[in-house]
Amino acid sequence: MSCSLVATDDEAVCANCGAVSSDTVKLKNCTACSLVKYCGVDCQRAHRKQHKKACKQRAAEREDEQLYSRGHERPEGDFCPICTLPIPLPMHEHSGFNTCCMKRICKGCDLATQKRGMFDCPFCRTPIPTNDADDLTMIQARVAKKDPVAINFLGKKYFFGDLGLRKDIQKAVELWTEAAELGSIQALFDLGDSYDEGDGVDQDKAKAAEFWTKAAMQGHVSGRYNLGCIEFEKGNYGRSGKHLLISAKLGHKNSLEIIKNMFMRGQANKTQYAEALRGYQDAVEEMKSHDRDEAKRLGFCKG
């Protein structure tokens, strides 16, 4: 490979030897930062010491760009499949999870269905199981089909020892790992919790943050909130505020409260708090419906 070619200002060149891109010289970007190009591995290695600082800085910037630009929409599982509205947070207080179809149905749609005289699953019309054995059979049928939601849900049952299962936290972690590999965002979050607390695995706060980051970048609200809390505890108020602003705009009340407190302490500015408040209010408004209001009034859900 020739390294003796002279480049003009507009031409791509090897950062180490100056070789110009041509039919015979194929340059490739530095995979970590994309700031420079190299004609081969030898030149990349030779230039590593000189490039290391700028590369590391740009790589970190790119990671942050992805971290804060993704996950601004809640995932599909956070929406009721009947009314198609996002479910208020915390979701378990405003919805029910049906093992027949692995769908989370908001209490408003559940109430509306019952008012029409239908007491089966509001989504798939399967009779609701009346005992733990039938419930577990439904879950295991979906697990056999490699449904990531079902696998994650079964992990929860092992974690708490529900449905007559023997409590087995390590089994829960195994199931969450499988579910995460199959695309379950909730499983990523649950694995983060496991590593954070040391449940079924060796405690590893850094690994917990990695799992929460993966979940947050796919719209998991609590995962994003946890990242905000981590940065807050480190005193990184700018980074914390960015995370909490995203989760507040997704309807997370505690995120809004922390930003409010940060504003009162001078750790966030008025513009940030106003944006968080407006975003939170818009998110809450988006989740409202007549059926949900009635379900709350009748005590079907908390809050």
Side-chain angles (χ1 to χ4, degrees):
M1 180 180 296
S2 172
C3 294
S4 60
L5 297 175
V6 179
T8 65
D9 291 341
D10 295 332
E11 288 179 310
V13 299
C14 174
N16 182 61
C17 69
V20 182
S21 178
S22 67
D23 292 340
T24 57
V25 179
K26 304 297 183 183
L27 301 180
K28 293 184 178 180
N29 285 326
C30 171
T31 55
C33 68
S34 296
L35 288 174
V36 296
K37 298 177 182 292
Y38 295 106
C39 62
V41 175
D42 290 342
C43 275
Q44 186 172 10
R45 288 173 178 167
H47 193 248
R48 183 172 295 163
K49 186 175 181 179
Q50 180 180 343
H51 177 56
K52 183 177 180 180
K53 184 176 180 180
C55 181
K56 187 175 181 180
Q57 179 179 340
R58 179 53 188 155
E61 290 172 353
R62 290 180 68 184
E63 287 181 3
D64 275 358
E65 288 169 3
Q66 294 180 0
L67 176 59
Y68 295 117
S69 65
R70 297 180 182 177
H72 290 235
E73 300 289 338
R74 292 173 65 180
E76 182 181 351
D78 284 14
F79 289 73
C80 173
I82 297 176
C83 66
T84 70
L85 296 175
I87 299 170
L89 302 170
M91 290 197 298
H92 70 273
E93 294 183 0
H94 300 270
S95 65
F97 188 83
N98 291 355
T99 54
C100 46
C101 53
M102 292 294 151
K103 298 294 185 183
R104 185 171 288 280
I105 311 298
C106 77
K107 293 294 181 69
C109 288
D110 192 9
L111 174 62
T113 303
Q114 292 185 34
K115 287 171 66 176
R116 294 196 295 270
M118 295 181 289
F119 297 92
D120 295 336
C121 172
F123 183 75
C124 70
R125 300 293 187 261
T126 300
I128 302 296
T130 57
N131 57 69
D132 288 350
D134 289 346
D135 209 3
L136 185 58
T137 297
M138 282 187 171
I139 297 169
Q140 291 172 332
R142 303 283 297 197
V143 168
K145 295 179 180 179
K146 295 297 182 181
D147 182 337
V149 178
I151 295 170
N152 181 74
F153 191 71
L154 183 59
K156 283 283 189 184
K157 299 308 166 187
Y158 273 106
F159 186 87
F160 291 107
D162 292 337
L163 301 182
L165 294 170
R166 180 178 58 84
K167 184 173 181 177
D168 189 337
I169 296 178
Q170 289 187 335
K171 176 68 173 178
V173 171
E174 290 174 7
L175 289 166
W176 289 337
T177 301
E178 181 182 358
E181 291 172 351
L182 291 171
S184 171
I185 300 170
Q186 182 61 40
L188 290 170
F189 177 80
D190 291 335
L191 285 169
D193 276 355
S194 293
Y195 279 98
D196 184 58
E197 298 293 335
D199 289 330
V201 293
D202 292 333
Q203 189 176 46
D204 189 331
K205 298 286 187 177
K207 200 161 188 177
E210 289 178 11
F211 279 114
W212 287 335
T213 295
K214 291 177 181 178
M217 291 173 68
Q218 297 181 68
H220 196 286
V221 184
S222 294
R224 181 69 69 175
Y225 170 74
N226 285 356
L227 296 180
C229 290
I230 289 172
E231 296 294 352
F232 182 87
E233 290 171 0
K234 292 179 179 178
N236 298 330
Y237 303 123
R239 296 178 66 85
S240 176
K242 288 180 181 180
H243 285 302
L244 295 172
L245 178 59
I246 295 171
S247 49
K249 287 182 174 181
L250 294 175
H252 196 273
K253 188 175 183 179
N254 284 351
S255 296
L256 176 64
E257 290 299 318
I258 294 177
I259 292 177
K260 177 182 177 181
N261 291 333
M262 289 173 67
F263 166 60
M264 295 175 69
R265 296 171 184 167
Q267 297 161 342
N269 60 45
K270 184 177 181 179
T271 300
Q272 290 172 314
Y273 174 52
E275 185 179 355
L277 179 60
R278 184 170 57 252
Y280 173 77
Q281 291 172 338
D282 288 345
V284 170
E285 191 65 30
E286 183 185 3
M287 294 182 242
K288 288 183 177 180
S289 73
H290 171 75
D291 289 330
R292 290 180 178 182
D293 290 342
E294 186 172 5
K296 185 182 296 186
R297 181 178 63 82
L298 294 174
F300 269 58
C301 52
K302 300 178 183 180

